[in-house]
Amino acid sequence: MTAQTSEGTLDRTPVGAPPRHPGNGGPLRLALLVGALGVVYGDIGTSPIYALQTIFNPADPHPVPVNTANVYGIVSLIFWSVTIIVTVFYVGIAMRADNDGEGGIMALITLIRRHASGRSRKAALTLAALGIFGAALFLGDSMITPAISVLSAVEGVKTVSTGLEAAIIPATAVIIVMLFAFQKRGTHVIGRWFGPIMCVWFGALALLGVGGVARNPEILKALSPGYAIDFVFGNFGVAFFALAAVILTFTGAEALYADMGHFGRKPISRAWIGIVFPAVMLNYMGQGALILEDTGNISGSFFLLAPEALRIPLLVLTTVATVIAAQAVISGAFSVASQASELGYLPRLRIAHTSEHQYGQIYVPWINWLLMVSVLVLVFAFRTSEALAFAYGMAVIGTIVIVVLLFLYVARVRWGAPKWLLATGGGLLLAITVVFLAASSTKIIHGAWLPLLIGVLAFTVMITWQKGREVVTGERERREGSLREFVDKLREGEPKVARVPGTAVFLDRGKHSAPLAMRSNLEQNHARHSQIVVLSVVTEPVPRVGEPDRLTVDQLGDVRDAVIHVTARFGYMETPDVPRALEAIDPEQAEGRRLNLDRATYFLSTIQLKPGKGRTMATWRKHLFIATSHITADAAEHFRLPRDRTMIIGSHIEV
């Protein structure tokens, strides 16, 4: 069994792109705020559709009895849970920990790896591994969110006509297939509509909520934390199990942090505090008031807030909003997979940039079709949003707990936060999220096992790829030998080769070893080009690299051999356009000669993998690593190399 692998980096932003947030004018701030509504808040903004009815779902294995005290307690618990986890932690604190403007769990992993040194190195690497598991859980979340969002929206037809119930699953499947088929066109095509539509959505949430509250203003008393405290400690057995469903009210919290690089911290924060938070909370209170009026309103409580004549327009708006919510998490999955590849946890994936002007607009075909199949399987397997909700919470809270842990470490190491502050404030926050996690674990046999299984599988693939990559790199460097020694021998006439005109560019991982392709070319063809560039592409743990820091040129000790080494640096959010980067090399740096890049030949070293007898990894992990290598994207396309001037030279390596 053999497989093919080669070097690569991945990215989302074209080299030389304009600044992420140019200018500070009012129209720009408004555009960013509206854009954040459309992309960031789709998931958390559609939670009112299904969250409250799931909490009081009589089919739940641990149902919450429907009575006045419990309704007040649940609504109060929702308000204060969202306030603490989303408003205080994510918006108020976590978003201040960024990696050159980028946020999210992958940014925290990068910060931790950057500060991993000395005695703290082992703890840092352990936390980084935990962060990778959190990213793997997010991929599970990316499969569940489109399924539960679209399914819950289509289920609204039951409030219009019970005769339409049989059409729910087929209609959901059709919408999902259309959604994923559209991805290759890029979200920028409909991106301009996302924000305005979500503005209408949040306005509808608020108006529906106000209408419900007006029918029973007493529900506003649930704003007092006393109701949440009484519910939890006076009814702990019921409240503990209810927490697993309360998690659904802050699904999408990670999106606030992960999408910070696209819109900036202030637009996201202002959108949350000024629009999203009030609208969502008003809607939950309106639904609570409706349930107090008639417990029969539990099923479909969101749609029942609207007058009967407006339910069909609301159903249409809800479906559009849930598609937007699904779109946001799909884009997030593309970003996580891209960044994981950049950091060496996944093979190089084929990336299509769908917009020349907007950050984050990428399409990853392999991830897209994997998600589509997974989402359809979930829809047909679970069939209702209530059943799928049991699985949903585990992925969400698992990721949040890991983000809290990583953030506390970064706060201590990077900011020097006092231990007493981390032990009190951080300890309280960690305790709250761990209780939610414990409550969600009670649903494992009812579906919460699914995101855990997906997370474990994705995590296993990631760490196996990282380990296998280390093994292959070590063996490759052993075979390649020292680059300087090879160039010295070449200068001395060993091996005997003819010099042909032109420029040859050999891509390699580092500056210390001679590329296998260069060795093979000289030994087999007995010829060398008049100019040779050994190029190493380095992915830095920052989103973008400035042009002055892009290239480093080393003449390798002698200006007469016409061999130079170039290190090209790209951020993990950039496109590694190799020919364009090499254009910045001055003739003085190239030993006094201008590189003839218009007619240069590019050489790639391609490795054929096969399992060996060495004890590098368990046998099953060797086969998994080789199988994973089959999805590696084409290196020539990835580095933007001209097809008609690219040669691939291969060799075998055992793992």
Side-chain angles (χ1 to χ4, degrees), residues 75-90:
V75 174
S76 181
L77 188 59
I78 289 173
F79 176 81
W80 288 104
S81 297
V82 173
T83 298
I84 293 171
I85 293 175
V86 182
T87 307
V88 175
F89 176 61
Y90 273 103

Side-chain angles (χ1 to χ4, degrees), residues 53-97:
Q53 71 176 28
T54 301
I55 295 173
F56 289 109
N57 180 16
D60 192 298
H62 307 98
V64 178
V66 185
N67 55 53
T68 301
N70 286 352
V71 171
Y72 278 109
I74 286 293
V75 174
S76 181
L77 188 59
I78 289 173
F79 176 81
W80 288 104
S81 297
V82 173
T83 298
I84 293 171
I85 293 175
V86 182
T87 307
V88 175
F89 176 61
Y90 273 103
V91 175
I93 303 175
M95 290 178 66
R96 299 179 184 276

Side-chain angles (χ1 to χ4, degrees), residues 5 27 43 49 58 65 232 238 320 332 409 438 454 494 503 568 594 599 602 617 634:
T5 186
D43 192 1
I49 301 170
V232 172
V238 173
V320 174
Y409 181 86
I454 295 172
E494 298 180 18
T503 300
R594 180 173 296 279
R599 307 180 72 177
Y602 295 86
M617 292 186 291
D634 180 74

Side-chain angles (χ1 to χ4, degrees), residues 408 411-412 417-431:
L408 292 178
R412 176 60 184 167
K419 290 183 179 180
W420 66 267
L421 180 60
L422 296 178
T424 52
L428 178 61
L429 180 63
L430 186 60

Side-chain angles (χ1 to χ4, degrees), residues 552-564:
T552 300
V553 180
D554 186 348
Q555 297 180 347
L556 299 175
D558 197 310
V559 298
R560 296 169 298 174
D561 51 36
V563 182
I564 62 173

Side-chain angles (χ1 to χ4, degrees), residues 306-319:
E308 189 170 351
L310 296 178
R311 285 177 191 166
I312 292 179
L314 178 61
L315 176 61
V316 173
L317 177 61
T318 302
T319 303

